[in-house]
Amino acid sequence: MEKKQYVYLFSEGNASMKNLLGGKGANLADMTTLGIPVPQGFTVTTEACNKYYADGKMIAPQIIEEIHEKMKELEEQTGKEFGSLTNPLLVSVRSGARVSMPGMMDTILNLGLNDEAVEAMAKLTNNPRFAYDSYRRFIQMFADVVMDVEKRLFEELLDEMKESKGVHFDTDLTADDLKELVGQFKVLYKKEKGEEFPSDPKTQLIEAITAVFRSWDNPRAIVYRRLNDIPGEWGTAVNVQQMVFGNKGETSGTGVAFSRNPATGENLIYGEYLMNAQGEDVVAGIRTPQPISQLEEQNPVIYKQFMDIVNKLEKHYKDMQDMEFTIEDGVLYFLQTRNGKRTAQAALKIAVDLVEEEMLSKEKAILKVDPKQLDTLLHPTFDEEKMKKVNPVAKGLPASPGAACGKISFTAEEAKVRHENGEKVVLVRLETSPEDIEGMIAAEGILTVRGGMTSHAAVVARGMGTCCVAGCGELKVNEEAKTLEIAGRVLTTEDFISIDGTTGNIYAEALNTVTPEITGYFATFMNWADEIRSLKVRTNADTPRDAKQAVEFGAEGIGLCRTEHMFFAEDRIAAVREMIVAKNEDQRRKALEKLLPMQREDFIGIYEALEDRPATIRFLDPPLHEFLPTDEADIIALASEMDLSVEELNGTIESLHEFNPMMGHRGCRLAVSYPEIAEMQTRAIIEAAIEVKQNKGFNVVPEIMIPLVGEIKELKYVKDVVVETAKKVMEEKGVELEYKVGTMIEIPRAALTADEIAKEAEFFSFGTNDLTQMTFGFSRDDAGKFLADYYDKKVYEQDPFAKLDQTGVGALMKIACEKGKTTRENIKLGICGEHGGDPASVEFCHSLGLNYVSCSPFRVPVARLAAAQAQVKNKR
Ligand code: PEP
Ligand code: MG
């Protein structure tokens, strides 16, 4: 058998090997083939990462051997030698998963340096300052990333050195200063680790690769994966690449650039660079970089070469590129390229522009926008009228668009806790680091004092679609004292702040936000999505207002109207309670009579908002505990309304107590016990439809949906009540009206007996919230308490209530679709559980052949795009 290859030189790989080499590795191989000046190197594959974990977190000896062999070949390619005393080869070691996960995993630069190699570098470059600067950076990074020694300890030594030499910037330290610092760093390392800093480059290399593999499973990477649907089993590749130096002096530099503006999508080069610096200086946002336009003035020859390569890369990848480059002694190198992360606005503009520039077809362009990103466009901006009357107190960089308002949180941990307690917070930091990820997710917006447009906060916020203002040097933030000084005022964690990520403006007050509309590029793009998709998109809406909003967002009808949600209102809850605690049919009918006109009005409102679009209205499905009165005053009032003593009523409430309300007297079980409830709801639905048809001329065809059916006879019993009542109403009104009766499939037994059920049901709608609950056997209400342990222990990677479990729940859905069609060939199939708005789940529904998905109004555009993407990926 041929030996499996775990390490590939860039010159051996190609663009199609993304799964094996990771995105970065495949692109480096591809760029090498394209003849772009790329420092050479090799990629250790994702399979090696998976093997590392399979072997109990150990790199197999055969892979180590292969790494050393490839290193020899790299030495030949570069004419340098790893660990040489005269001409040392230095490398960077970076992670590179199949999709980019900015800042989530680890990077080590300048690897290969030791006390001898640094002297050789000093001689070779005639620049001892540069050599020792590289060395001190390497020791700090290696210690931090590979050996877990706190970075802060090294930074303190650096600060002390600057202070003792009376200088302000790192660049003002001399070679001798840096040499002294290296000595101090090594002493610190030995103190912390109890051993000498490893001087053998081969040891350094294997340790560094191990650390990158290990970082695939660090907590922030796990959170990022969950957020972005990246499976743990993909693993990360590791790229080992010859170092080129941007910190060799004033003819060297380094930068990052996007081929188009990642915030707006404008087709103009966008980027930043710093002369005499290494990449980390640009990304960390410690020194403020120059805009890329400056390079044209500073070095027109390099700028032209740079732009030619940028254009070549964009044409080649047919997408906006995010590139890292370094100039070493006046020679330009590209260190990497990838499809750039961008805001939702930018994504839409770029996708539409690429079609207009004839680089992409509409089908391909549809795939360029992440459906989840659209969410950010549907969320609030500041109310324009109000904005005319308020003044910003400061301005930072508009790093990620949108508007956010909340109370100030100075730490990520606090932001997370306050968010969980229902508070809206804005995370205010000097700068963010990858450890802050959970707080950044929890925050409405992010505001930083330091850092540019490509700082960590900016990149991550744009990726998440969270509003961010970065680099606002006017703020004085004291993270320890938890205070923020701004325009002469001191704000604390109890104060509101509002930030505008589109302008960079900051307001020291709470500002209203408004919901935007779908126009411009967004509308063009969504029209293309609608032309392409075959899966319809409906909405879950219980009020005319929500229905209207959803229609504006492109909903093609209502897939679920939860009638019990109409009863939460203050003026209705009393009548509902009366209905629930009624001792006999008479009492119940009395309460239902109060509810009938309210329900009828609700349905009229909903039909009118939908115009001719279909509406699926579900019969009452209240977990009773949500409606029973607990407040003493409420109980007294209810007893008096019903002519009961308080004791009597308390007795009834007691008797209605359920141990497991989610599996209790709910859904169609209620209608089986109390058919008069189904009668009232049928009457309201049909009467409202007749009224709207007569008054407004809309052709309303109500779809009456019976919930929580597990047995055909249950459905038949309730359906008979519906049919009889509808007939009666139509006779009373002297009008014929078309309507449908169907059911939810949300109990495993219903899925398994779907051929039976379909005899009575004209449509199925998968209630995957309950179906997930009952398939897994854990409660929707309680699972949150232990799911975190499941993520920690890698039992689950995803919340099955958010992302459909295609293996288990999906198998039941497939059975139900197939069986249902055997008895009713044209049965209409939909989904209305929360999964109906999750892109991966939408794709699954498309492949099952469902007719529609239904989701909350704000997720309608997300589902429309996900459905179009499913169609492009898998035509049906
Ligand atoms: C479901 O169970 O998926 C559903 C949509 O119904 P509810 O969430 O109201 O139980
Ligand atoms: Mg349900």
Side-chain angles (χ1 to χ4, degrees):
M1 205 176 83
E2 208 180 309
K3 203 175 109 204
K4 188 172 194 136
Q5 187 171 352
Y6 285 102
V7 189
Y8 289 79
L9 289 169
F10 294 166
S11 51
E12 291 176 306
N14 65 58
S16 71
M17 295 163 74
K18 208 170 200 157
N19 294 357
L20 192 62
L21 302 179
K24 192 183 291 175
N27 283 0
L28 284 166
D30 199 27
M31 286 161 87
T32 301
T33 313
L34 288 172
I36 286 164
V38 173
Q40 287 301 292
F42 55 83
T43 305
V44 188
T45 63
T46 53
E47 283 179 354
C49 177
N50 288 337
K51 187 164 163 53
Y52 162 84
Y53 282 103
D55 291 348
K57 300 199 185 174
M58 185 199 93
I59 304 183
Q62 109 220 36
I63 299 182
I64 294 183
E65 201 178 302
E66 210 181 322
I67 292 170
H68 292 320
E69 278 164 22
K70 291 297 171 185
M71 185 51 101
K72 282 221 178 67
E73 293 186 47
L74 182 60
E75 287 173 341
E76 276 161 31
Q77 283 182 341
T78 59
K80 296 183 179 189
E81 200 185 320
F82 201 41
S84 161
L85 305 187
T86 50
N87 192 14
L89 170 63
L90 302 189
V91 293
S92 65
V93 177
R94 295 168 199 251
S95 62
R98 220 184 274 191
V99 294
S100 82
M101 298 168 58
M104 289 302 126
M105 290 183 294
D106 294 331
T107 292
I108 299 110
L109 303 178
N110 305 326
L111 189 137
L113 277 174
N114 55 29
D115 290 353
E116 287 85 36
V118 72
E119 279 299 320
M121 287 288 290
K123 279 211 195 78
L124 210 63
T125 58
N126 206 11
N127 191 343
R129 191 199 172 278
F130 150 71
Y132 278 96
D133 189 43
S134 303
Y135 195 18
R136 64 98 188 166
R137 287 168 190 267
F138 169 55
I139 296 173
Q140 172 176 336
M141 245 189 205
F142 188 90
D144 167 31
V145 170
V146 180
M147 294 302 186
D148 238 359
V149 183
E150 267 188 86
K151 190 159 67 182
R152 178 181 57 85
L153 300 172
F154 294 95
E155 275 164 4
E156 279 168 12
L157 288 176
L158 176 63
D159 285 343
E160 280 167 27
M161 179 63 77
K162 284 195 281 194
E163 204 169 307
S164 77
K165 303 291 172 183
V167 300
H168 209 70
F169 294 108
D170 301 1
T171 42
D172 294 331
L173 291 173
T174 65
D176 284 338
D177 299 339
L178 292 165
K179 190 169 180 175
E180 197 182 325
L181 195 61
V182 162
Q184 293 175 1
F185 276 15
K186 289 207 299 190
V187 171
L188 171 65
Y189 183 92
K190 188 165 181 195
K191 184 169 148 242
E192 291 294 315
K193 297 308 296 180
E195 60 188 31
E196 297 291 342
F197 186 81
S199 60
D200 174 17
K202 284 185 174 171
T203 310
Q204 294 173 356
L205 180 65
I206 301 303
E207 290 289 350
I209 292 172
T210 308
V212 174
F213 283 161
R214 202 165 53 223
S215 72
W216 176 249
D217 254 358
N218 72 31
R220 61 180 195 257
I222 290 175
V223 171
Y224 188 92
R225 287 208 292 271
R226 188 157 65 244
L227 203 69
N228 291 282
D229 282 349
I230 301 170
E233 68 196 31
W234 281 3
T236 182
V238 183
N239 295 293
V240 176
Q241 188 175 27
Q242 183 199 350
M243 286 293 299
V244 286
F245 294 94
N247 57 336
K248 259 184 166 175
E250 290 311 316
T251 57
S252 300
T254 189
V256 290
F258 294 85
S259 59
R260 299 178 189 226
N261 186 314
T264 63
E266 194 185 8
N267 188 3
L268 262 185
I269 183 80
Y270 180 88
E272 299 166 322
Y273 73 107
L274 267 174
M275 292 313 275
N276 200 10
Q278 268 196 343
E280 46 170 337
D281 300 328
V282 181
V283 179
I286 293 161
R287 276 161 63 195
T288 302
Q290 308 277 319
I292 203 87
S293 51
Q294 197 86 8
L295 185 63
E296 192 172 10
E297 286 165 35
Q298 208 167 20
N299 193 330
V301 177
I302 293 246
Y303 183 76
K304 175 161 188 322
Q305 193 196 351
F306 168 79
M307 282 309 298
D308 287 347
I309 294 174
V310 169
N311 291 331
K312 185 169 178 177
L313 285 173
E314 202 186 78
K315 289 225 166 62
H316 180 70
Y317 290 109
K318 300 185 192 314
D319 201 348
M320 184 262 267
Q321 294 300 294
D322 166 1
M323 298 147 293
E324 279 183 27
F325 64 96
T326 287
I327 305 162
E328 184 184 67
D329 282 336
V331 181
L332 174 67
Y333 295 92
F334 273 64
L335 306 188
Q336 68 169 69
T337 191
R338 59 187 176 204
N339 294 343
K341 297 245 180 259
R342 62 203 78 175
T343 63
Q345 283 98 325
L348 292 167
K349 175 162 164 56
I350 290 168
V352 173
D353 284 353
L354 289 178
V355 173
E356 279 166 10
E357 291 163 30
E358 293 182 4
M359 232 191 275
L360 290 181
S361 65
K362 286 180 188 173
E363 277 76 13
K364 290 255 163 66
I366 283 293
L367 299 176
K368 292 287 173 194
V369 179
D370 176 359
K372 281 193 188 153
Q373 249 193 325
L374 296 183
D375 193 49
T376 61
L377 296 177
L378 305 168
H379 283 286
T381 54
F382 290 128
D383 180 343
E384 242 172 74
E385 275 312 300
K386 178 89 203 283
M387 295 313 284
K388 292 179 187 153
K389 298 180 204 111
V390 294
N391 290 316
V393 288
K395 194 175 169 86
L397 299 170
S400 178
C405 168
K407 287 191 177 171
I408 302 171
S409 259
F410 291 98
T411 68
E413 297 78 41
E414 186 196 285
K416 185 172 173 242
V417 171
R418 292 174 73 177
H419 170 75
E420 282 166 1
N421 292 331
E423 239 184 295
K424 286 191 189 310
V425 296
V426 171
L427 181 63
V428 180
R429 303 279 288 152
L430 286 170
E431 62 202 342
T432 63
S433 71
E435 286 81 27
D436 292 337
I437 183 80
E438 290 191 272
M440 295 171 77
I441 295 168
E444 304 298 308
I446 299 156
L447 171 59
T448 69
V449 178
R450 299 186 196 135
M453 293 293 281
T454 50
S455 65
H456 176 265
V459 171
V460 174
R462 278 201 294 273
M464 298 192 303
T466 300
C467 151
C468 174
V469 175
C472 181
E474 296 166 58
L475 306 182
K476 282 208 187 69
V477 168
N478 186 333
E479 289 180 346
E480 242 131 67
K482 300 198 171 183
T483 56
L484 164 63
E485 261 184 77
I486 186 169
R489 291 173 56 187
V490 179
L491 306 181
T492 70
T493 53
E494 280 313 301
D495 289 306
F496 277 101
I497 194 160
S498 299
I499 60 174
D500 187 333
T502 314
T503 60
N505 284 338
I506 298 162
Y507 306 87
E509 60 195 291
L511 289 179
N512 265 350
T513 49
V514 289
T515 309
E517 291 166 10
I518 300 182
T519 52
Y521 289 105
F522 195 1
T524 306
F525 184 83
M526 291 312 296
N527 286 339
W528 293 347
D530 291 344
E531 283 165 23
I532 291 168
R533 72 188 159 91
S534 57
L535 190 63
K536 299 240 177 262
V537 177
R538 294 194 187 186
T539 190
N540 294 356
D542 320 314
T543 62
R545 207 195 71 196
D546 284 359
K548 240 192 225 117
Q549 176 70 75
V551 166
E552 273 164 32
F553 285 158
E556 295 165 290
I558 285 184
L560 172 64
C561 171
R562 291 177 164 104
T563 51
E564 65 278 6
H565 284 191
M566 301 170 147
F567 290 151
F568 282 125
E570 198 66 36
D571 56 335
R572 300 180 171 198
I573 189 98
V576 178
R577 286 177 175 154
E578 232 180 286
M579 173 188 80
I580 290 173
V581 301
K583 273 256 164 67
N584 51 46
E585 193 180 324
D586 275 353
Q587 274 183 0
R588 201 169 303 106
R589 284 195 183 275
K590 208 173 122 213
L592 286 167
E593 250 164 58
K594 294 183 192 166
L595 290 170
L596 175 65
M598 300 177 191
Q599 284 257 279
R600 195 169 42 223
E601 284 310 305
D602 290 335
F603 296 142
I604 289 172
I606 281 183
Y607 294 146
E608 287 181 352
L610 287 177
E611 303 189 343
D612 276 329
R613 298 174 186 84
T616 306
I617 295 169
R618 182 180 75 182
F619 275 1
L620 210 56
D621 177 14
L624 287 181
H625 65 300
E626 287 179 17
F627 286 92
L628 285 175
T630 48
D631 195 78
E632 208 180 307
D634 288 345
I635 294 174
I636 294 170
L638 188 60
S640 125
E641 177 71 27
M642 297 182 70
D643 264 341
L644 295 171
S645 72
V646 171
E647 290 72 42
E648 235 178 319
L649 181 57
N650 272 330
T652 310
I653 293 172
E654 186 90 346
S655 73
L656 286 172
H657 170 81
E658 293 180 320
F659 286 103
N660 205 334
M662 271 298 174
M663 304 242 218
H665 201 187
R666 56 178 287 228
C668 64
R669 296 157 203 163
L670 271 183
V672 171
S673 302
Y674 313 124
E676 52 277 16
I677 299 178
E679 269 174 42
M680 181 281 281
Q681 292 206 290
T682 307
R683 182 170 279 280
I685 291 168
I686 302 292
E687 284 182 355
I690 291 175
E691 190 172 328
V692 172
K693 194 172 173 165
Q694 288 178 334
N695 292 349
K696 302 275 159 141
F698 297 138
N699 179 30
V700 187
V701 183
E703 298 170 359
I704 297 176
M705 181 154 78
I706 320 287
L708 231 64
V709 164
E711 154 62 48
I712 172 74
K713 289 187 198 136
E714 269 178 319
L715 174 59
K716 174 86 171 64
Y717 179 84
V718 183
K719 185 179 168 185
D720 285 349
V721 177
V722 172
V723 172
E724 229 168 85
T725 312
K727 188 161 163 259
K728 206 149 107 201
V729 175
M730 286 189 262
E731 277 167 10
E732 283 166 22
K733 304 274 173 196
V735 180
E736 273 296 311
L737 183 91
E738 191 191 338
Y739 68 95
K740 295 189 164 61
V741 182
T743 184
M744 296 187 72
I745 302 288
E746 49 187 346
I747 289 189
R749 193 177 187 282
L752 296 170
T753 60
D755 46 349
E756 289 281 305
I757 307 252
K759 287 181 192 154
E760 294 296 337
E762 290 171 272
F763 60 88
F764 286 169
S765 177
F766 289 99
T768 45
N769 303 333
D770 275 310
L771 192 58
T772 299
Q773 163 173 266
M774 295 195 217
T775 303
F776 279 82
F778 47 57
S779 151
R780 297 156 63 164
D781 294 335
D782 296 326
K785 287 186 200 140
F786 54 80
L787 278 179
D789 299 332
Y790 274 58
Y791 305 143
D792 281 352
K793 312 220 159 125
K794 301 220 290 183
V795 178
Y796 295 156
E797 287 187 351
Q798 297 284 347
D799 178 352
F801 290 107
K803 192 172 171 210
L804 190 76
D805 160 46
Q806 297 180 13
T807 324
V809 177
L812 282 169
M813 291 171 71
K814 190 155 182 278
I815 291 172
C817 291
E818 285 166 3
K819 287 200 155 191
K821 282 183 181 163
T822 59
T823 22
R824 196 184 287 267
E825 204 183 338
N826 290 325
I827 188 161
K828 195 186 290 175
L829 302 168
I831 178 175
C832 62
E834 281 310 295
H835 308 91
D838 170 66
S841 311
V842 170
E843 191 175 334
F844 179 72
C845 293
H846 169 91
S847 70
L848 273 187
L850 298 196
N851 301 90
Y852 68 87
V853 296
S854 187
C855 56
S856 61
F858 278 90
R859 290 170 90 190
V860 165
V862 176
R864 284 162 67 198
L865 177 54
Q869 293 187 343
Q871 179 73 25
V872 173
K873 289 187 215 161
N874 173 16
K875 285 211 159 48
R876 76 172 199 204

